Amino acid sequence: AGAIRFDNVTFSYDGVRPILRGVDFEVPPGHMVALVGPSGAGKSTISRLLYRFYDVKTGRITIDGQDVRDVTQESLRAAIGIVPQDTVLFNDTIEYNIRYGRVDATDAEMREAARMAQIDGFIKQLPLGYKSMVGERGLKLSGGEKQRVAIARTILKGPPILILDEATSALDSFTEKEIQAALDSVAKGRTTLVIAHRLSTVIGADTILVLDKGRIVERGTHASLLEAR
Ligand code: ADP
Ligand code: ADP
């Protein structure tokens, strides 16, 4: 489950300036597609359209063959997990922030989500145990720590589709590597759309789409794109 298809999607925010032009691609179930390209190329717009922050008027977006305009907001939210660039956490405990929307989650599920998001790993660097960690206030966390909380929350929610907005550029390189590893483990087995800021972070993507000014100008694997240069 979780096949994504964009058919000839053209989009404008203001009805005047075209932002996406004839965008066509698919992500087979369980595959990872990465969107790369300069800032302003339209990468985030693609993810916003999939989540229906905006509706397309020209072209069609489907999930498992169903037009997203015919899917209820509830099913769309259940089907798609987003790990955003700048995670905004609630001013509550980390446990609350991870559990959000899954009040029924068991302790074992919580621990597994924390482990996959590598929260366990970074807790070891702190003079705090897991217990006090989950009791800390979300607002005090660093950018990388917030990312991990967002990843753990997404794992716990268990959606078949993931949108990853890789904002690892603001992180130091050690944190970036750790977050990257956590993101890779979450993406495994899910249909994943990655907004990538560096080609080197998406070596594992099945397909890389290069966007420029709202068009897909190149598509291929990491190796084939490098060869074409
Ligand atoms: P990318 O993710 O590749 O950096 P975006 O999809 O965020 O690009 O933006 C593509 C273009 O759409 C940019 O020119 C941006 O200024 C414009 N844009 C983004 N969001 C909006 C909006 N809400 N209203 C109007 N224009 C927008
Ligand atoms: P409460 O009213 O529930 O105590 P607060 O909003 O006062 O919650 O914040 C709780 C703790 O988080 C306080 O120690 C505060 O200094 C800290 N804090 C609040 N906002 C931030 C922030 N943006 N960055 C870092 N620490 C913050």
Side-chain angles (χ1 to χ4, degrees), residues 1-65:
I4 301 168
R5 231 187 120 89
F6 274 58
D7 277 317
N8 198 23
V9 170
T10 292
F11 180 75
S12 169
Y13 286 100
D14 59 7
V16 180
R17 192 162 70 98
I19 300 294
L20 297 180
R21 311 159 197 242
V23 168
D24 258 317
F25 68 90
E26 63 186 313
V27 193
H31 281 228
M32 179 187 280
V33 166
L35 304 170
V36 304
S39 173
K43 304 181 295 292
S44 305
T45 300
I46 287 178
S47 72
R48 288 182 206 132
L49 292 177
L50 180 63
Y51 207 62
R52 275 196 69 201
F53 284 125
Y54 299 90
D55 273 339
V56 290
K57 291 173 192 81
T58 313
R60 195 161 174 263
I61 301 171
T62 60
I63 295 177
D64 293 329

Side-chain angles (χ1 to χ4, degrees), residues 5 12 35 50 54 60-61 69 75 81 88 90 92 96 99-100 107 111 114 116 127-128 154 167 170 180 207 221:
R5 231 187 120 89
S12 169
L35 304 170
L50 180 63
Y54 299 90
R60 195 161 174 263
I61 301 171
R69 287 168 294 201
S75 346
V88 179
F90 298 102
D92 206 311
Y96 176 88
R99 218 180 257 282
Y100 175 72
D107 285 351
R111 270 197 301 278
M116 281 181 76
L128 298 166
T154 303
Q180 191 59 46
T207 306
T221 60

Side-chain angles (χ1 to χ4, degrees), residues 91 137 139-140:
N91 185 27
R137 292 281 169 152
L139 290 179
K140 286 194 221 169

